[in-house]
Amino acid sequence: MATLGMSEADKKAVEDFKRDVVDPSRTSLVIVDFWAEWCGPCKQLTPIIEKVCADYASKGVKLVKVNVDENGFIASQFRVQSIPTVYAVFQGQPVADLSQARTENQLKQMLDQLLGQLPVESEERNQAAEIAPLIAMGEEVLEAGDAERALSVFAQIAEMAPDNAAVIAGQARALIALGRLDEAEAALEAVPQEHAKDAGIERARAALSLARDAKPLADLSGLEARVATNADDHEARFELSNGLMANGDRQRAADELLAIIERDREWNNGAAKAQLLKLFEAVGLEDPWVGAQRRRLSAILFT
């Protein structure tokens, strides 16, 4: 904003705006709320926008309120014709008009979209970058079969980021591997609402469900004999698959489920397919082993 020919009051308004909005917007997403004391809709929006911006402070969001009666020059520069008018400013430029967001969910959705597109610096992003290698280490240890050590790693990370979905999921899967199912369930039930649909959390839930179904058996020979005698004894084959899962033999467990699907895909309302998909999710949909088994499933279903 050029200051040539401006009054002293307007010059001060520009300097204040630069200090409060333009400079912070170099790294943060600044939400500028144009309002006035006499504006009824402004008073309705105020508690909503203040709450959401406070919730998003760790994501790099900052709220600045501009009273149009006291800062008419600034309002005119933004061509504010009615209030409330709300703009998102990043790197000195308006990047979105948020004026139509009148509910908490609407405002959060718009902010989430902006934060996903802009390189906004935040405590959350900095922390995510810091703990990413630690999470990878925990996953590597868990994959190697040392669930006790993996649980210890995830517990230490949780002290830094207690609400991180990947950390919660890692802890839960480590607890499941140790047979501490009730503790894993409690951890998953305590997941913050915004992470309820996270892929890692869903994977941990699938692993917990499988663990609840599975029954470790020292001797599977009886079930194997029943299947050998009658290949269509799907109940025995399903129990055998669960026993194999409980014993850590996911390949043979998948083989038995695929055998049921091949012989009778509708058996027990499609229980074998549902269990197999649950196994895929528990292992991880990006895992190469899962990709191979999914191709086997497709070959059965579409040939």
Side-chain angles (χ1 to χ4, degrees), residues 225-241:
R226 284 174 58 185
V227 171
T229 302
N230 179 8
D232 289 324
D233 187 346
H234 301 320
E235 183 177 350
R237 196 184 290 275
F238 193 81
E239 289 182 28
L240 175 59
S241 175

Side-chain angles (χ1 to χ4, degrees), residues 35 38 63 68 154 212 256 297:
W35 69 289
W38 47 263
L63 173 64
V68 296
F154 284 117
R212 293 285 193 200
E256 299 300 342
L297 176 61

Side-chain angles (χ1 to χ4, degrees), residues 1-269:
M1 297 178 187
T3 60
L4 186 64
M6 291 168 43
S7 69
E8 290 303 317
D10 287 346
K11 287 181 180 179
K12 183 179 185 307
V14 169
E15 291 171 1
D16 290 347
F17 189 81
K18 181 177 183 299
R19 180 196 65 218
D20 297 337
V21 176
V22 177
D23 291 344
S25 77
R26 300 301 177 194
T27 56
S28 301
L29 184 66
V30 181
I31 308 305
V32 184
D33 176 22
F34 292 94
W35 69 289
E37 289 285 357
W38 47 263
C39 171
C42 297
K43 293 178 181 179
Q44 294 177 339
L45 180 62
T46 290
I48 295 172
I49 196 168
E50 288 182 350
K51 179 182 183 301
V52 172
C53 288
D55 290 344
Y56 276 61
S58 65
K59 299 177 185 289
V61 174
K62 176 183 178 182
L63 173 64
V64 175
K65 298 179 72 66
V66 177
N67 187 318
V68 296
D69 289 336
E70 299 172 357
N71 297 275
F73 179 75
I74 299 297
S76 69
Q77 294 299 301
F78 278 81
R79 298 180 181 177
V80 174
Q81 297 180 345
S82 63
I83 52 175
T85 291
V86 183
Y87 286 113
V89 177
F90 183 64
Q91 295 184 342
Q93 299 295 323
V95 292
D97 184 346
L98 309 181
S99 302
Q100 299 306 310
R102 297 302 173 91
T103 69
E104 186 174 331
N105 284 338
Q106 288 173 346
L107 186 54
K108 284 183 174 181
Q109 287 175 5
M110 296 179 82
L111 289 178
D112 286 340
Q113 185 175 15
L114 287 170
L115 292 170
Q117 297 170 343
L118 301 171
V120 175
E121 293 184 12
S122 66
E123 295 176 17
E124 197 170 278
R125 283 192 177 180
N126 291 339
Q127 184 186 69
E130 181 182 351
I131 67 175
L134 301 177
I135 293 174
M137 180 176 72
E139 289 288 348
E140 184 177 341
V141 172
L142 185 56
E143 185 66 24
D146 192 345
E148 195 71 59
R149 182 171 168 234
L151 181 60
S152 176
V153 171
F154 284 117
Q156 291 178 57
I157 306 172
E159 292 179 5
M160 296 185 288
D163 293 333
N164 184 282
V167 176
I168 297 170
Q171 280 184 303
R173 286 170 37 242
L175 288 166
I176 292 165
L178 292 168
R180 295 158 60 177
L181 305 188
D182 290 343
E183 292 177 64
E185 185 171 9
L188 292 172
E189 286 179 350
V191 170
Q193 186 61 38
E194 64 266 28
H195 298 318
K197 299 298 182 182
D198 178 84
I201 297 297
E202 294 287 0
R203 178 185 177 189
R205 287 199 181 103
L208 177 62
S209 180
L210 281 177
R212 293 285 193 200
D213 293 340
K215 297 177 182 178
L217 297 173
D219 185 6
L220 297 173
S221 59
L223 291 170
E224 291 172 336
R226 284 174 58 185
V227 171
T229 302
N230 179 8
D232 289 324
D233 187 346
H234 301 320
E235 183 177 350
R237 196 184 290 275
F238 193 81
E239 289 182 28
L240 175 59
S241 175
N242 283 341
L244 290 165
M245 269 189 246
N247 294 346
D249 192 344
R250 70 184 184 191
Q251 183 59 61
R252 286 189 60 203
D255 291 343
E256 299 300 342
L257 292 173
L258 286 164
I260 295 173
I261 297 168
E262 186 169 21
R263 289 178 172 276
D264 184 359
R265 67 185 65 176
E266 299 304 325
W267 174 77
N268 197 16
N269 296 317

